């Protein structure tokens, strides 16, 4: 099990993260009042990954000068016990002197560190996130322990650390593209179960005409054209007792979990009422979590003017969901057994895009051209000048733009650049990210330290 230490100065949100990861298992934690605890341990979980958590919170009660030395000793111990360190700062407050001390300690530790810029749910935290990069621990993850934002990025970071550790232990490179993690999501009654049945080619899950006879999700290991797929079925797990409850509402929490666990999400919609409010909400969750998406239009056999309707829906998708412009739209007809191969082809296609790495040279040639065509804005009489751009990670593709007067670069220009990258490098459907960073003296300084 991956051992994870949560460190940072008091009040940044460590316990909130601990609780979120530990969930119900929190009951196991010794939290008796009056007991001076300087460390909590517990089991946690993120998506399909089990974690052994070490939380170093609990120094708030100590008011004397021993605080710092005790905190330091405690943190050092947690760090040496852990495989991965989650270092948290409060992005709303920005980087403090104490944060810098922690960072110095962690840079020396030579362990993988995930830098979480917490309380990032508000706009006021953007500057803090940008500042956190200066700690020399790589790109900070904008995070909100309270709202659960950034969990997918945390999951990806932990997963990578886990793979690296395993590779060190066994001396073998583990295959990242092990199996495609696919989640089938959508409103009740959209046609998810019917689709899954058809794909699996056997009646492994029951379909029914009632809305939401299902609850919880199940995972099914499966393969398509000899490629392994792990399917998460949010409509699965039909227990007789629960059928009576007739859930008619979409469970957002359940959907969110399925999204966070997935690499590609298939959003199934009834073609007669696709891209309505709830569909847009789900699609937005997928984009915010940075997952790739395929839109599935179920019950296509019931559509009367198919060509017209298809154009209509394509238009709607691009207009209402610009963040995943160009995502594949697949028509399904379960009754005629049609569309499933296209769906899987589309899923593997967007998966590739989601894993894409664009070469820095190509990216910067493109950036120069893009700036010539559409020069960056002038703010307060001076031009905001992007210097260079690099892709810092894949899954989803994430870019850092280094810029003079970075804080002044308008969001519209960032969007223009992202859309440009999307087009130039053929990456539709993938929710990409761009972070803007202030120009430093040495533009080719290493990512870490
Ligand atoms: P710790 O001392 O680092 O363990 O911090 P806590 O988890 O006890 O959190 C300190 C305070 O920050 C509490 O009042 C939390 O409710 C609050 N907090 C934690 N995470 C977030 C967040 O993501 N956003 C906001 N706005 N507040 C948060
Ligand atoms: P879920 O709640 O999303 O799992 O939806 P189901 O798969 O249970 O489907 C809901 C209803 O729509 C059922 O009555 C299905 O028979 C029907 N249905 C699903 N797919 C199709 C389709 O492609 N064509 C038609 N005509 N009906 C479908």
């Amino acid at each position: 099990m991956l051992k994870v230490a949560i460190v940072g100065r008091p009040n940044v949100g460590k316990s909130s993260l601990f609780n979120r990861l530990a969930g119900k298992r929190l009951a196991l934690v010794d939290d008796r009042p009056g007991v001076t605890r300087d460390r909590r341990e517990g089991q946690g979980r993120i998506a399909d990954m089990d974690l052994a958590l070490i939380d170093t919170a609990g120094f708030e009660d100590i008011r004397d000068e021993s605080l710092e030395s005790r905190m330091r000793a405690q943190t050092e111990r947690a760090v040496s016990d852990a495989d991965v360190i989650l270092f948290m700062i409060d992005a709303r407050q920005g980087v403090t002197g104490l944060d810098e001390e922690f960072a110095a300690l962690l840079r020396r530790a030579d362990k993988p560190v995930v830098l979480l810029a917490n309380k990032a749910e508000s706009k006021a935290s953007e500057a803090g996130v940008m500042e956190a990069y200066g700690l020399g621990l790589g790109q900070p993850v904008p995070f909100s322990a309270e709202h659960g934002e950034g969990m997918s990025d945390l999951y990806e970071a932990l997963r990578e650390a886990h793979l690296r550790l395993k590779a060190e232990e066994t001396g073998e490179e583990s295959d990242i593209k092990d199996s495609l993690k696919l989640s089938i999501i959508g409103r009740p009654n959209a046609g998810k179960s019917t689709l899954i049945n058809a794909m699996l080619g056997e009646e492994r899950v029951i379909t029914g005409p009632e809305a939401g006879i299902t609850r919880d999700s199940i995972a099914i290991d499966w393969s398509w054209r000899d490629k392994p797929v792990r399917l998460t079925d949010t409509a699965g797990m039909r227990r007789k007792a629960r059928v009576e409850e007739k859930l008619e509402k979409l469970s957002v929490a359940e959907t969110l979990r399925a999204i966070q666990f997935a690499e590609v999400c298939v959003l199934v919609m009834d073609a007669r009422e696709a891209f309505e409010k709830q569909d847009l909400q789900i699609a937005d969750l997928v984009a915010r979590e940075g997952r790739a998406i395929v839109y599935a239009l179920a019950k296509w056999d019931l559509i009367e003017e198919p060509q017209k309707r298809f154009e209509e829906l394509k238009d709607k998708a691009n207009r209402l969901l610009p963040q995943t412009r160009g995502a594949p739209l697949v028509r399904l007809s379960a009754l005629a057994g049609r569309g499933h191969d296209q769906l899987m082809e589309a899923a593997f296609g967007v998966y590739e895009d989601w894993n894409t790495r664009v070469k820095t040279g190509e990216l910067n040639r493109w950036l120069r051209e893009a700036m010539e065509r559409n020069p960056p804005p002038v703010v307060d009489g001076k031009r905001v000048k992007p210097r260079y751009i690099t892709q810092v990670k894949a899954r989803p593709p994430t870019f850092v733009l280094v810029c003079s007067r970075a804080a002044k670069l308008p969001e519209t220009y960032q969007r223009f650049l992202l859309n440009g990258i999307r087009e130039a490098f053929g990456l539709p459907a993938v929710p990409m990210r761009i972070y803007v960073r202030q120009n430093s003296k040495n533009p080719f300084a290493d990512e870490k330290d």
Side-chain angles (χ1 to χ4, degrees):
M1 209 188 302
L2 198 65
K3 278 189 245 143
V4 178
I6 306 174
V7 308
R9 64 182 178 80
N11 268 320
V12 292
K14 297 184 296 300
S15 302
S16 308
L17 173 61
F18 183 92
N19 293 348
R20 182 168 280 281
L21 292 173
K24 293 197 186 86
R25 294 176 188 85
L26 192 60
L28 300 174
V29 169
D30 184 2
D31 223 0
R32 284 168 296 171
V35 175
T36 317
R37 59 178 171 85
D38 52 5
R39 172 176 180 139
R40 288 199 297 180
E41 295 189 20
Q43 271 202 31
R45 202 178 161 79
I46 184 164
D48 60 344
M49 200 188 292
D50 284 315
L51 308 171
L53 299 172
I54 309 168
D55 177 14
T56 57
F59 294 96
E60 297 75 21
D61 305 333
I62 307 166
R63 293 268 175 253
D64 59 36
E65 68 283 358
S66 74
L67 172 70
E68 260 182 51
S69 63
R70 284 194 59 186
M71 195 153 64
R72 171 174 289 270
Q74 172 56 20
T75 302
E76 273 169 353
R77 194 148 59 87
V79 166
S80 80
D81 287 351
D83 299 318
V84 185
I85 322 299
L86 305 185
F87 173 36
M88 192 172 250
I89 67 145
D90 180 340
R92 228 170 29 184
Q93 289 199 341
V95 171
T96 68
L98 203 49
D99 291 331
E100 274 164 6
E101 278 181 40
F102 267 102
L105 188 154
L106 293 175
R107 282 197 306 265
R108 282 196 301 272
D110 197 29
K111 292 238 168 131
V113 175
V114 183
L115 174 56
L116 299 174
N118 196 36
K119 312 193 188 181
E121 74 274 354
S122 77
K123 267 218 153 271
S125 304
E126 273 174 18
V129 175
M130 215 191 267
E131 210 178 281
Y133 180 81
L135 290 170
L137 290 162
Q139 184 65 38
V141 176
F143 199 78
S144 172
E146 206 149 271
H147 301 256
E149 286 172 25
M151 290 288 279
S152 305
D153 289 290
L154 176 57
Y155 173 64
E156 282 295 324
L158 289 175
R159 191 181 139 280
E160 239 166 65
H162 193 53
L163 286 176
R164 221 178 302 133
L165 273 173
K166 268 210 303 219
E168 273 169 27
E169 274 168 22
T170 61
E172 286 166 34
E173 279 289 312
S174 30
D175 189 1
I176 290 191
K177 293 190 173 179
D178 210 6
S179 70
L180 169 66
K181 288 194 197 138
L182 193 71
S183 280
I184 311 290
I185 55 176
R187 282 189 270 160
N189 231 7
K192 299 182 292 297
S193 313
T194 309
L195 166 67
I196 287 170
N197 285 349
M199 286 203 296
L200 298 178
E202 54 176 289
E203 289 283 309
R204 191 107 56 103
V205 279
I206 313 153
T207 59
E210 289 148 282
I213 57 173
T214 62
R215 196 163 167 178
D216 298 326
S217 64
I218 53 170
I220 303 160
D221 285 311
W222 172 64
S223 73
W224 179 76
R225 293 189 181 161
D226 294 329
K227 293 184 220 173
V229 178
R230 170 156 258 236
L231 202 76
T232 294
D233 170 14
T234 53
M237 198 84 105
R238 286 118 213 271
R239 292 207 201 101
K240 283 231 167 65
R242 284 177 169 174
V243 174
E244 279 133 46
E245 289 176 30
K246 287 217 179 110
L247 283 177
E248 264 158 23
K249 276 206 281 187
L250 170 82
S251 164
V252 175
E254 211 172 281
T255 304
L256 186 59
R257 272 197 297 279
I259 293 171
Q260 288 171 342
F261 174 73
E263 294 166 320
V264 177
C265 296
V266 174
L267 173 52
V268 181
M269 294 170 284
D270 186 326
R272 294 168 297 180
E273 45 184 44
F275 298 112
E276 285 183 7
K277 195 168 156 223
Q278 279 198 318
D279 302 320
L280 300 181
Q281 270 170 355
I282 300 175
D284 190 52
L285 278 179
V286 176
R288 285 207 333 239
E289 292 295 328
R291 274 40 207 156
I293 196 165
V294 175
Y295 300 115
L297 305 168
K299 315 188 194 181
W300 196 254
D301 51 294
L302 302 176
I303 299 295
E304 279 175 9
E305 290 182 86
Q307 199 50 45
K308 179 163 163 262
R309 180 67 177 152
F310 190 56
E311 292 304 322
E312 225 171 74
L313 289 175
K314 260 202 307 208
D315 178 59
K316 252 189 161 173
N318 287 336
R319 191 160 37 83
L320 300 174
L321 296 162
Q323 62 280 49
T324 53
R325 190 188 301 273
L329 239 67
V330 181
R331 289 156 282 190
L332 299 175
S333 171
L335 299 187
R338 228 172 266 147
H340 311 121
D341 281 336
Q342 274 127 294
L343 181 68
M344 290 310 296
E345 268 162 28
F348 274 100
V350 296
Y351 180 61
E352 291 256 304
D353 293 347
W354 190 67
N355 277 289
T356 295
R357 282 184 182 277
V358 184
K359 291 202 183 78
T360 306
E362 286 174 31
L363 210 49
N364 284 288
R365 271 193 294 282
W366 167 82
L367 177 66
R368 280 193 297 274
E369 277 169 36
M371 288 196 304
E372 267 168 37
R373 260 183 292 128
N374 182 4
V378 174
V379 181
D380 305 333
K382 280 191 189 155
R383 195 166 291 284
V384 180
K385 192 152 192 306
R387 305 277 172 189
Y388 70 100
I389 186 168
T390 52
Q391 182 176 354
V392 288
K393 69 182 222 28
R395 308 166 60 88
T398 303
F399 303 89
V400 165
L401 180 74
V402 177
C403 210
S404 68
R405 299 151 56 76
K408 302 269 185 189
L409 189 73
E411 234 169 82
T412 49
Y413 200 76
Q414 295 178 32
R415 265 203 303 278
F416 157 75
L417 290 177
L418 267 190
N419 284 333
I421 293 173
R422 199 183 280 298
E423 257 173 49
F425 300 98
L427 298 170
V430 181
M432 299 189 295
R433 291 172 180 159
I434 192 164
Y435 296 111
V436 183
R437 215 153 62 208
Q438 183 61 37
N439 194 22
S440 63
K441 291 233 167 58
N442 177 6
F444 299 104
D446 211 44
E447 279 298 313
K448 285 208 174 179
D449 224 347

